Amino acid sequence: MRETNDNVNHSGEAQEEGVLDLIHTVMHQYRSQQYQVLRDGPHDITHMESKVLGFFGRQPGATQSDLARHSGRDKAQLARLIKGLRDKGLLDAEPDESDRRNVRLRLTSVGRAVQGALQQQATLLNAKAVQGLDGAQRRQLMALLQQVRRSLDAAV
């Protein structure tokens, strides 16, 4: 009995409308496995909280406004995320010396440890995800995904 897949045509090639669905499914699997480590650990970290931690890990001393510009997210949503991360002891804030209305945010030592765990888990999952591919296949996959990204960027 022949198996069928709605996203595959008779020549075995993926139909264009199924490509983004498959990418979404892969990313969902990736995120689920990545954050399972932290959900089961002492810190219950959401996907968005991890993004905020990552931003301030790369941009120590940035402000909430900097994060809003970078992410395109609503300032009120970000304010709630930042407050939650501060309450968990993962972010520290200090007033900007040149403009006391601004608050500069940095990861605490615990926040750096959580961010490090996220990065370590991401490295392990990246290796797991491509373990069946040789170097040429990995490069081809990267090139194809970059082309998909460029096509979507051009469509905007």
Side-chain angles (χ1 to χ4, degrees):
M1 181 174 188
R2 188 177 140 188
E3 290 183 29
T4 62
N5 179 339
D6 291 339
N7 292 331
V8 176
N9 65 24
H10 296 293
S11 67
E13 294 179 22
Q15 293 178 358
E16 288 180 29
E17 64 267 15
V19 171
L20 295 180
D21 288 335
L22 181 56
I23 290 171
H24 175 79
T25 299
V26 169
M27 284 307 303
H28 178 76
Q29 288 176 295
Y30 173 79
R31 285 184 183 134
S32 176
Q33 291 180 33
Q34 183 177 30
Y35 299 110
Q36 186 69 40
V37 169
L38 291 176
R39 281 191 302 265
D40 293 344
H43 302 285
D44 185 21
I45 302 295
T46 67
H47 172 69
M48 278 306 300
E49 287 173 328
S50 72
K51 293 290 191 185
V52 171
L53 288 176
F55 176 79
F56 290 112
R58 291 183 306 277
Q59 306 287 330
T63 65
Q64 178 181 326
S65 294
D66 296 331
L67 176 61
R69 276 190 299 279
H70 172 77
S71 68
R73 298 280 180 169
D74 176 67
K75 286 185 180 183
Q77 177 190 26
L78 294 176
R80 287 187 299 274
L81 282 168
I82 288 169
K83 181 183 181 325
L85 291 169
R86 289 181 68 191
D87 290 348
K88 291 179 182 182
L90 303 177
L91 273 181
D92 194 17
E94 60 185 47
D96 185 323
E97 291 182 15
S98 62
D99 184 351
R100 301 301 247 179
R101 295 172 296 178
N102 283 329
V103 176
R104 299 282 171 187
L105 297 156
R106 289 179 166 63
L107 297 180
T108 63
S109 59
V110 175
R112 284 190 300 277
V114 169
Q115 183 60 24
L118 277 172
Q119 289 173 334
Q120 184 179 25
Q121 184 67 10
T123 299
L124 292 171
L125 284 174
N126 275 311
K128 177 182 175 183
V130 296
Q131 70 186 359
L133 304 177
D134 63 31
Q137 290 170 320
R138 290 177 191 185
R139 287 187 297 278
Q140 182 181 23
L141 177 60
M142 290 297 291
L144 292 169
L145 289 172
Q146 288 169 356
Q147 179 57 51
V148 169
R149 185 180 70 194
R150 284 191 299 273
S151 294
L152 290 173
D153 286 345
V156 175

